[in-house]
Each structure stands twice: as structure tokens, then as C-alpha cells.
Amino acid sequence: MKYVLIGAGPAGVRAAETLRKEDPTSEITLVGGEPGAPYARMAIPYVLNKSITESGALQRKADLHYDIQGIRYLNRKALKVHARADGGTVDLDDGSSLDYDRLLVATGSSPSLPPIPGTDLPGVVTCWTLADARAIAEKLQPGNRVVMVGAGFVAGVCMKSLVGTGVKLSVIAGRAGQILRTMMAPTGSSMMQRWLEERGVDVITTGRTERIETGPSGPRLVMDTRVIEADLIILATGVKPNVSFLEGTGAQIDQGVVVDHFMRTTVPHVYAAGDVAQGRDFSTGEWVVHALQPTATEHGRIAALNMAGKTLPYRGSLSMNVLDIGGLISHTFGQWQGVEGGEMVEEVDEENFLYTRLCFKGERMVGAITIGNCNHVGAIRGLIQTRRPLGEWKDKLMHNPHKVMAAFVDLGQHRALPATAAA
């Protein structure tokens, strides 16, 4: 059996290792589009703030790991997939091609640039690759002016490395009106904005970005309300799935590559996993893209098992985001916006930057947000993922959301008892 895996992120690496375990004699080729060994993109902020070196970002630290596993690793980009009923071929950017019996698409996403002039000027970068990290690190000198265009999740991850460096940071949320709008309730967003502003960050929530141009000493951001001179402009306005090489295959593309419960695409013998795949959401049952490393890793494992002949459905991933912005840590889980006909409780401590929001549907917790309080996030996640009926704990949590750990422990003990003992 010949397996080809396009994309060397967490999904591709886990899939390759799983295939080797399940099919010891198979031929496995892992194709990565960036120079060097496979690394974890979520480690980039830690490279920027020098918590780790670039080698610390590698997914597997052992020398010759892939050789030892019998996995052929190629630093190439996929240009075109030619699918057949019994397999197919993949054209690479060096003019070569790979035959496959089973193909995994795990190519992730790439930055989606704003539709304005000047995004290709010197001093304008994204925050997505190790090469980007090197370019950003050169400008992280005290007093330098750094402008970040975008205030969503990608921007929030990058901000972790910028706050506290001494740079003069401006964050452009623009017409969104609030930072982290797609992953945070307005109360929490306002709290996080105030946290940033108290640490010297200029958060701009009004105005439209019109263009980037060359200024006297670096790039210049031109808005309809102001002009901002900069030493570095970081574009963090979202991402798009890397799927151009699938054109003409018949693969269904929506938010990402559409897959079924077994991570199969609409093309025979072609599977998808990770940020590029539109997989099942645990909470809603809908098919969405969850750009999360744990989700990518599990996608890769499930896809590989099915590629190797197992029949293992994917039950869905829990929407979950964790952000550390200058020391203020937030978590969002599941349906944090609440659900129709459901209930919600919030507790806010503005002075100490503490915020908890729990959302319920009937007797079950379906979503949550926490800011500044990490003690009980494991219990919150557990209560949501197990879909455990809360019983009398529902009212207790509505009156005091900080009792989630007690609820989790108590309900876990009751669940472990035999039916006769629990009656």
C-alpha cells in the first residue's frame, strides 16, 4: 500500500505515525511545503518571546525520527492531484510526481490578506511561519512602532509575544468594533481590551483601513480616520484553507474540504484532516473548520486508521480556544454564545480581570468562557464533553458558577456507582 500525506503539521505527522503502526510494511511519504523538519505552528509565539529556540518548535525532537519510523519526508509543495477510481498521483513543485493508493490532505491554512494595496511592501509581514517569526523578531526592539491589522484569534496568538517587549503596539480592530469578536462575548472582549490598554497597547476599534504605503522610515498604515507610521506592520486578518491543488478532482470545498464521519472526502481514496478539513462539531453536530492543534492531531489519527482499513467514525471536536494575551489567559468552550431556549450565568470582577460565563441547555452545560481564572477549566470541559445531566447542580451553578469543580467531582462519583447503589 502506498500512502501519501500532503502537509506536515500535527495532522500529517500523527497520521504518518499511526499508519506506520497499523501497516508496518506500507510505503509512507509525508510532504511538507516549508523548509526544514515539521514544526508546530502554535509554538511560534514562544519562539518570538524566546521561551524556546526554533528547534524547540519541532514536532519530533529525536534526530532521524522519520527515517527510523520508515517515513519518507519531502520538502516539497503539491501542485496538482490526479485522482482515479483506484488511487492517483500528486504532482510536486520540483517536477516529480508521487503515486498513491490512499491520499491524506492535511495542508492546513494560509493567511488571508486584507483586500487593500500595499500588503507586499517591505516591512509588512504575516504571523504564520517560522520565516515570519524571524522577520518579526528583528523589529522587536524597545521603542519600535508595530501595527497589527486584525484583532481575531490569529492576532491574539501573535500578541502574546509582543506585549511587554517595549514596542509601541497598535492593534486595528476597525469596523469589528471589538477585539476577539468571533470567540468572546462583549463583556469579556471589553475586559481584555482594557487589560491591553493598561499595558500600553493602542486598540483602535473604529475606522476603515484603506491602504499601506511607504513612509519616511518604514511602512505607513492609512485609515479613513488616521495615518499610523510604523517600523513593522503585521497582517493578522484571518486564514483560508490550502486547497488549490485539489481543483478538478471533484473534492467538495466549503469552509474547508468537506469530509464524512470517517474523514473521507468526496473523492475516492482521498481523506482530509486538520485545519483544512471541515469536520464534525461535537456540540452542534454541524460540519465546521476547527483550527485547533488537538483537533488536527485527532483528525490525523482517525483518518489514518480509516485509511488503513479500520472503520472508526469521528465523533466530533469540541470548539475550544485558549489565549494568553500579555499574561491574561482566556478559555472558550463549545456554544459559549448560548443556545435558543437555554440559560446563561455570568460573573464579572472588573477590578481583578476575572470573568466566568456558563451556558446551559436544559440540565446540561453546553458552553463556557473564562478569563483570568484557570483553576476549573478542566472540570468545565469535562462537564461539556460528557454531556452529563447536572440535576440539582444546575441551580447551584446558576447561583455560583465557581462550583464547577465540586459539581464535576460529585457527578463523577455518582456516575461511577452501580445503578443499585446510586438509587
Side-chain angles (χ1 to χ4, degrees), residues 338-414:
V339 297
E340 185 176 355
E343 297 174 89
M344 183 267 293
V345 60
E346 288 185 312
E347 186 166 288
V348 184
D349 182 346
E350 292 283 0
E351 182 179 354
N352 294 301
F353 293 94
L354 298 173
Y355 173 61
T356 300
R357 173 188 178 112
L358 304 180
C359 300
F360 304 93
K361 181 178 182 180
E363 288 194 355
R364 291 177 171 83
M365 188 185 301
V366 295
I369 300 175
T370 70
I371 297 177
N373 188 348
C374 304
N375 295 333
H376 305 318
V377 294
I380 291 173
R381 179 178 178 180
L383 289 173
I384 294 172
Q385 284 194 300
T386 57
R387 293 193 172 105
R388 197 169 298 176
L390 299 172
E392 63 181 14
W393 278 106
K394 164 75 176 300
D395 288 337
K396 293 180 181 179
L397 292 174
M398 287 291 293
H399 286 92
N400 185 353
H402 296 299
K403 289 187 174 182
V404 288
M405 180 58 76
F408 180 73
V409 172
D410 184 57
L411 291 169
Q413 290 174 342
H414 280 78

Side-chain angles (χ1 to χ4, degrees), residues 96-160:
S96 65
S97 65
L98 298 170
D99 295 326
Y100 71 82
D101 297 303
R102 301 287 186 274
L103 175 69
L104 178 68
V105 176
T107 44
S109 302
S110 56
S112 178
L113 302 182
I116 59 173
T119 57
D120 58 347
L121 290 174
V124 182
V125 300
T126 56
C127 186
W128 197 246
T129 66
L130 281 177
D132 291 335
R134 297 181 196 113
I136 294 170
E138 290 180 1
K139 297 295 185 179
L140 295 187
Q141 305 299 324
N144 274 359
R145 302 158 300 177
V146 177
V147 176
M148 179 173 291
V149 181
F153 180 71
V154 174
V157 171
C158 192
M159 269 189 270
K160 171 186 178 68

Side-chain angles (χ1 to χ4, degrees), residues 192-389:
M192 297 185 82
Q193 179 175 332
R194 184 165 59 86
W195 173 273
L196 289 169
E197 289 172 340
E198 290 188 8
R199 280 146 187 82
V201 179
D202 184 16
V203 181
I204 300 170
T205 57
T206 60
R208 182 182 71 253
T209 299
E210 295 185 338
R211 65 184 181 276
I212 300 171
E213 60 187 29
T214 301
S217 59
R220 170 193 290 155
L221 187 75
V222 180
M223 303 181 68
D224 60 349
T225 54
R226 71 194 76 194
V227 175
I228 307 175
E229 305 289 346
D231 297 290
L232 179 72
I233 294 178
I234 301 172
L235 303 176
T237 49
V239 295
K240 57 186 177 182
N242 295 319
V243 295
S244 60
F245 59 91
L246 291 173
E247 185 177 347
T249 62
Q252 183 180 350
I253 310 296
D254 186 17
Q255 302 170 29
V257 182
V258 176
V259 296
D260 64 12
H261 292 280
F262 303 97
M263 310 307 295
R264 297 176 300 204
T265 73
T266 52
V267 183
H269 309 303
V270 178
Y271 297 70
D275 295 7
V276 77
Q278 189 168 325
R280 187 170 185 269
D281 183 295
F282 171 83
S283 297
T284 66
E286 297 174 352
W287 299 85
V288 298
V289 172
H290 279 168
L292 306 170
Q293 184 163 319
T295 296
T297 301
E298 184 64 1
H299 273 190
R301 186 183 74 88
I302 297 295
L305 290 171
N306 286 291
M307 291 168 73
K310 306 289 185 181
T311 304
L312 184 65
Y314 180 58
R315 70 170 189 160
S317 58
L318 177 67
S319 176
M320 178 179 71
N321 288 302
V322 182
L323 276 181
D324 178 352
I325 300 183
L328 185 61
I329 299 174
S330 67
H331 297 78
T332 59
F333 299 97
Q335 296 173 283
W336 58 264
Q337 309 95 326
V339 297
E340 185 176 355
E343 297 174 89
M344 183 267 293
V345 60
E346 288 185 312
E347 186 166 288
V348 184
D349 182 346
E350 292 283 0
E351 182 179 354
N352 294 301
F353 293 94
L354 298 173
Y355 173 61
T356 300
R357 173 188 178 112
L358 304 180
C359 300
F360 304 93
K361 181 178 182 180
E363 288 194 355
R364 291 177 171 83
M365 188 185 301
V366 295
I369 300 175
T370 70
I371 297 177
N373 188 348
C374 304
N375 295 333
H376 305 318
V377 294
I380 291 173
R381 179 178 178 180
L383 289 173
I384 294 172
Q385 284 194 300
T386 57
R387 293 193 172 105
R388 197 169 298 176

Side-chain angles (χ1 to χ4, degrees), residues 417-423:
L417 292 175
T420 54

